Amino acid sequence: MPAFDAQAETNHSVTQQSNPQWRGVADLYHAVFTGLVLTLVSRRGTADAAEFVFRVFRRQQQERFVSGLAKLGLSDLPPAVAAAQYHYLSNWIGGVHVEYIYETDRKAWIRYPPPRWIWRGTAICGVPSEVSKAMLRGWHANNGVALGNLKLGFVCTKQSVDGQDGLEGYYYEADHALEPDQRLQFARHLEAPLFDPAAAPALPVESWPKPRLEKAYRNYAMEYVRTAAPTLVQLFGPLDGGYLLHLTGKLIGMQSYDELAPALGVTGRDAAGFAAMLRALLDAQGDEVELREVGGGFELRQRGWKLMDGVADADPACVRVLEGLAEGLAAACGRRIAVSLAKDPRALSLVWTVR
């Protein structure tokens, strides 16, 4: 086992004091992902919501897990320990309440105590048990497959959405290869040992300075939408998927304005104020944007959309979530503010008009 220290506590305080603009973007995209799950539960039912969550987490697991182990310096650890430490460190970077408990080289616990990050606030009341299980099937149950070790499985002992005091379970290395239906099991009669922060793994400060942590905190939440939007469109088609993305974006935008505007450092509830806010939002999420006055209104020219850069199956309908966000924020800013989106294919730009 590597040497552990209490530096994680220091690093955690740095993460929580992140750039306010980036924190605002993180909170917004976090809400969008949770909102997408709730939109599916309420409008398409539990089965569709669970299938969506399974695909999102399996996709993230296949894209991020093995490379993430290397980035975090965990590749040489025993499989069960490496998997558990990965979940601890990667979620901790994103501001998630998470605990790690080492038991043996073949058994290590991971625990997400309340409040659950992913089902923030009252949202947890709308998440069925099957949706939470789909997350575990998508990611935790597949870590052994990703590592080429079919003996590695995950046992879930608690689920927050079932009224238990957190989501918890342990990775274990069995004596034999596990069948697909054995890679995720449930043992509700067991409970994790108590968490000792001093024994938790820590990020090396020299390779994870404050600016990198701040940016990673923002990107952690944005990554969920980067994965979710194309998954939703591929699952339900451009028309239905685009509608669900737009609706969710608009609802979240309307609910988020009062918290987001101060984080972005903008004021004014007229068209000029909203145009400044939209520019600040696009800039804070990593996009290049130019703002100018045109014909009694404002035009913002956004050069591409970095969130979807490199996503091979990003259908054009994915932008509907961003369009919905802008419309919702505008509605909350002022009843008579109108925002519309057009595309300039020649310049590879998104062109926003605010009036």
Side-chain angles (χ1 to χ4, degrees), residues 256-338:
S256 301
Y257 177 86
D258 286 351
E259 291 76 26
L260 184 61
L264 295 176
V266 295
T267 58
R269 303 185 81 107
D270 56 6
F274 177 72
M277 179 187 184
L278 184 56
R279 178 183 185 179
L281 171 61
L282 296 173
D283 180 70
Q285 68 184 32
D287 291 305
E288 296 182 25
V289 59
E290 298 176 1
L291 169 63
R292 64 191 183 99
E293 292 189 45
V294 290
F298 300 88
E299 181 183 275
L300 297 93
R301 187 169 291 270
Q302 176 185 344
R303 300 193 182 282
W305 187 20
K306 286 189 177 180
L307 186 69
M308 289 297 155
D309 281 356
V311 180
D313 60 343
D315 187 273
C318 290
V319 80
R320 294 282 284 157
V321 69
L322 185 60
E323 186 178 16
L325 272 175
E327 292 178 9
L329 290 167
C333 181
R335 287 178 60 191
R336 299 187 177 184
I337 298 173

Side-chain angles (χ1 to χ4, degrees), residues 2 20-21 81 115 149-150 168 177 179 183 264 273-275 287 289 339:
Q21 290 85 9
V81 175
N149 184 340
L150 298 184
E168 70 173 36
E179 298 296 329
R183 294 169 191 163
L264 295 176
F274 177 72
D287 291 305
V289 59
V339 58

Side-chain angles (χ1 to χ4, degrees), residues 84-111:
Q85 287 198 20
Y86 173 87
H87 286 284
Y88 175 77
L89 290 172
S90 63
N91 282 282
W92 174 86
I93 288 170
V96 178
H97 292 281
V98 61
E99 299 174 354
Y100 161 84
I101 306 101
Y102 170 83
E103 194 164 325
T104 72
D105 278 0
R106 300 181 68 176
K107 183 179 180 182
W109 292 78
I110 193 73
R111 183 171 186 272

Side-chain angles (χ1 to χ4, degrees), residues 193-211:
L194 294 178
F195 173 57
D196 180 5
L203 294 172
V205 177
E206 64 277 6
S207 59
W208 285 89
K210 182 178 178 180

